[in-house]
Amino acid sequence: MPIHGVAEASGRIEEVRFQIGGMSCASCAMTLENVLKRCEGVTSVHVNFATREARVQYQVGVLREEQLTQKVRDAGYDAHRAASQPSHVKEHEGSFFSGSMILALFFSIPLLVLSMGQVHMVGRRWLLLALATPVVFGPGRSFFHGAWLSLKRRSADMNTLIAVGTGAAYFYSLAATLFPQWWRRMGEEPHLYFEAAAVIIVTVMIGRRLEERATGRTRQSMRSLLGKQARSARVLRDEKEIDIPVEEVRVGDWVVVRPGEKIPVDGMIEDGASSVDESMLTGESLPMEKRTGDPVIGATLNLTGSFRFRATKVGADTVLQQIIRMVQEAQDTKAPIARVADVISGYFVPAVIIFACLTFAGWLVWGPPHAFGLAVVASVTTLIVACPCALGLATPTAIMVATGKGAEIGVLIKSGGALEAAATLQTVVLDKTGTITEGKPEVTGIWVDAGSSENELLRLAGSVERRSEHPLAHAILTYAAMKQIALSEPSGFHAKQGVGVEGQVDGKRVEVARMGRELFSDEVKARACAFAAQGKTPVMVRVDGRCVGILAISDRVKPDSAKAISRLKAMGLQVVMMTGDQKAVAEAIAHEVGIERIFAEVMPQEKADKIRDIQSEGRRVGMVGDGLNDAPALVRADVGFAIGNGTDVALEASDITLMRSSLTGVVDAIRLSRRTMRAIRQNLFFSFVYNALGIPIAAGVLYPFTGWLLSPMLASAAMAMSDVCVVTNSLRLRGFEGSAHPE
């Protein structure tokens, strides 16, 4: 996302996104990346051939945006700042047949008929020349211009191959037309290849148009996300309801939503209630009940009731716009597997030109007598059949489709690297509270020592816990409120991370120990173990050092956790549960959901160490969590998955965000990543095999055995279709269905 405004402080990092014109293949993207990386002050460059965009981060004060634009133009490409909305998600405008393509077809079709039909007529050679010339120097001029720019920057790209190939065919035919007797005196029959030069240009133009259309379809998910946003909002201004464009809604505005309307921006319900369909964000088909005090998200659909809410996030700060920005940034990044194609693309075009020259020389040396014409055909065909575009499109198109599809089903993937890494996971570590369980603990049992009462126990424990933000503290406070117990204000409050809290209440030192590591009698120990065996967390309450009671707190397992864990195991993944809770509680929950390996009584600072221990076994680990104490483990894991309703720190530390609070999102994310990597490998395999077979065949390797030489026109058609095949294979990812539609 472009960062607007002028920075005053030198050295501050800003980001700008350019729409790039004139890129013809992956070699262009590599060339432009290298040009920009060499600029002083540039810290990061990503050039995406599939979207024709460049994202550049640079130091303000060292470099200006205008200088970057000029660097791009000096390299032979057009550059203008991309719009604030992702420009590459817009539909390609205009008809399939442009003016230049119609012109090329107008001359090429009769040229092909005259050439292939072997029509004998006076002045046939000159007529063929007249028909071919407007195509080669009209629509074909762009290829020669691109090749010239490549030559100026001392590089070579797809334009170079097309220009050299068609130029060789055209000028050889021109020489044969102007000086036929000279060729005959040399022992060569002057064959003409005007139709090859013209038809190659037409075929490449059609192929690029098909590629644009196919690549455009890979952006459908992004267009779908953009299309979900409401166009207008009904707000209260001067005690009147007025309709305004959604862009004019301000934070703090009162917004009115009626049944069947889209919620325009993010906010908090102040009055009313309704059911809201949030499937466009979470992939969850069941509507959510919303009441006063509940948050609502822009672009979701209000179903039944009417309500008013206070706008809290508008414009680029809304959840939808953040998702769009995250998906766009993920599509701009490269997966590690793309480096193979990048390295090959950097050497591909020069290698093909050298191979074409060797082909030409080989035909002259080892070919049949008077093989000059065959040498021209073979070398031209070699240049035309080679396809670096397929290599360049193999990875980014699949990532574009996958990240967009992930957003549709509630799986936000932050980068191509995260997408690739998720496909290689061998172990998935699950936090318990809020991940496997609902994360809404409640008091479900109390044991009180002789001489104490339940109400006094709740009063003392609740008074200390009012200063705590822990979920177990919330459960105690909720239960005390339900019992209408008046709480006191504690003093000397102190929280022991991962253990509990303590403080002074009415002159008594009260400790609420969540871990229960110190038990002072066999009876207390037996009671705690009994609660733990039921999957309830025993919270010990001590007053002046003596345990006076136990609060048993339960956190229900999510309805679909066991099914999701079963599916993860069926995918060949080892599933591990990690929790700070007591071992007996952890074992009871693990048994309920089907997990064999657990780490219990793990302090927050120890979670990352446990991830490291599993990695030391030679396993690639994914960590799933939702809390602040999960952040270090999320960072340490090979892939961090954050539940979407978790803390901001957990979301920031993760590689993949799950918009719905369900482990089925982990299943979907790993399935999607595996399928994407399979598509990328298929694309790369096809690209390598196509060139590995196509180039030798074009050079004439089959001629000594069959007498058959590949036509340059067939080579151009094959080259064009190879791009379309790669993109079409990536588009198959659009058929991926989330857990609501299991395979």
Side-chain angles (χ1 to χ4, degrees), residues 363 696-697 700-710:
W363 274 92
I697 291 174
V701 70
L702 298 179
Y703 186 84
F705 311 102
T706 64
W708 180 75
L709 193 61
L710 182 64

Side-chain angles (χ1 to χ4, degrees), residues 37-56:
K37 282 178 180 177
R38 287 195 294 267
C39 295
E40 183 181 359
V42 170
T43 59
S44 175
V45 180
H46 297 284
V47 180
N48 191 324
F49 172 59
T51 62
R52 269 64 170 184
E53 283 197 355
R55 183 160 56 94
V56 185

Side-chain angles (χ1 to χ4, degrees), residues 358-683:
L358 294 175
T359 298
F360 183 82
W363 274 92
L364 293 182
V365 175
W366 294 294
H370 314 299
F372 189 87
L374 294 176
V376 171
V377 171
S379 56
V380 167
T381 306
T382 300
L383 292 169
I384 300 303
V385 80
C387 188
C389 296
L391 283 172
L393 292 169
T395 301
T397 53
I399 290 176
M400 286 173 65
V401 178
T403 52
K405 188 65 183 180
E408 285 186 5
I409 61 174
V411 176
L412 302 183
I413 302 164
K414 290 189 177 180
S415 68
L419 185 68
E420 179 175 343
T424 65
L425 293 180
Q426 299 163 297
T427 297
V428 176
V429 179
L430 308 176
D431 176 49
K432 179 178 75 69
T433 304
T435 302
I436 297 176
T437 63
E438 295 282 2
K440 300 175 182 178
E442 55 188 20
V443 176
T444 56
I446 299 178
W447 173 80
V448 182
D449 192 14
S452 300
S453 67
E454 286 191 9
N455 287 352
E456 180 65 9
L457 181 73
L458 284 169
R459 188 184 76 84
L460 294 173
S463 296
V464 176
E465 292 285 16
R466 11 182 356 177
R467 294 287 186 88
S468 174
E469 297 180 355
H470 196 279
L472 298 185
H474 179 73
I476 295 172
L477 292 171
T478 301
Y479 192 73
M482 185 181 69
K483 293 286 188 177
Q484 297 182 340
I485 295 175
L487 303 180
S488 301
E489 185 66 27
S491 61
F493 175 83
H494 176 65
K496 299 178 181 179
Q497 189 178 33
V499 177
V501 297
E502 64 179 45
Q504 296 287 330
V505 179
D506 299 336
K508 300 176 181 178
R509 186 168 63 90
V510 180
E511 298 173 83
V512 183
R514 303 185 184 98
M515 297 295 290
R517 291 183 174 182
E518 295 182 12
L519 304 174
F520 295 94
S521 69
D522 292 339
E523 182 182 9
V524 172
K525 182 182 294 185
R527 294 286 184 177
C529 290
F531 283 136
Q534 299 169 17
K536 300 177 181 181
T537 301
V539 175
M540 324 304 295
V541 181
R542 293 188 293 177
V543 178
D544 293 333
R546 184 176 71 89
C547 183
V548 297
I550 302 173
L551 297 173
I553 300 179
S554 297
D555 188 5
R556 288 179 297 177
V557 172
K558 294 175 183 177
D560 53 5
S561 288
K563 181 180 178 181
I565 290 167
S566 176
R567 294 188 67 187
L568 288 171
K569 292 164 72 174
M571 294 163 62
L573 293 160
Q574 178 192 54
V575 182
V576 179
M577 185 175 78
M578 182 160 58
T579 178
D581 218 333
Q582 290 187 34
K583 186 175 182 181
V585 177
E587 288 176 342
I589 298 295
H591 177 74
E592 183 177 348
V593 296
I595 295 178
E596 290 80 28
R597 187 177 183 183
I598 63 172
F599 294 118
E601 302 180 11
V602 180
M603 301 292 283
Q605 62 270 26
E606 296 173 346
K607 289 189 174 183
D609 295 334
K610 294 297 183 183
I611 297 293
R612 186 182 294 107
D613 290 343
I614 300 175
Q615 290 171 328
S616 67
E617 299 171 8
R619 306 185 70 86
R620 295 184 61 82
V621 182
M623 171 69 194
V624 187
D626 74 327
L628 176 63
N629 59 4
D630 297 322
L634 291 171
V635 173
R636 177 64 202 179
D638 296 287
V639 180
F641 299 84
I643 299 292
N645 61 355
T647 66
D648 291 340
V649 175
L651 299 179
E652 193 67 29
S654 66
D655 302 297
I656 297 176
T657 299
L658 311 176
M659 293 300 295
R660 60 183 185 271
S661 181
S662 170
L663 286 177
T664 57
V666 181
V667 178
D668 290 342
I670 296 175
R671 283 178 52 232
L672 178 60
S673 65
R674 288 182 176 182
R675 185 173 294 187
T676 303
M677 294 311 300
R678 184 161 66 242
I680 290 174
R681 285 191 289 267
Q682 290 169 347
N683 289 344

Side-chain angles (χ1 to χ4, degrees), residues 115 150 190 217 220 250 253 255 363 385 398 503 543 568 641:
S115 300
S150 296
R217 292 174 62 197
Q220 182 172 342
R250 301 189 297 264
D253 276 344
V255 184
W363 274 92
V385 80
V543 178
L568 288 171
F641 299 84

Side-chain angles (χ1 to χ4, degrees), residues 21 111 158 269 481 628-629 704 724:
L111 174 62
M158 193 69 195
I269 294 180
L628 176 63
N629 59 4
V724 178

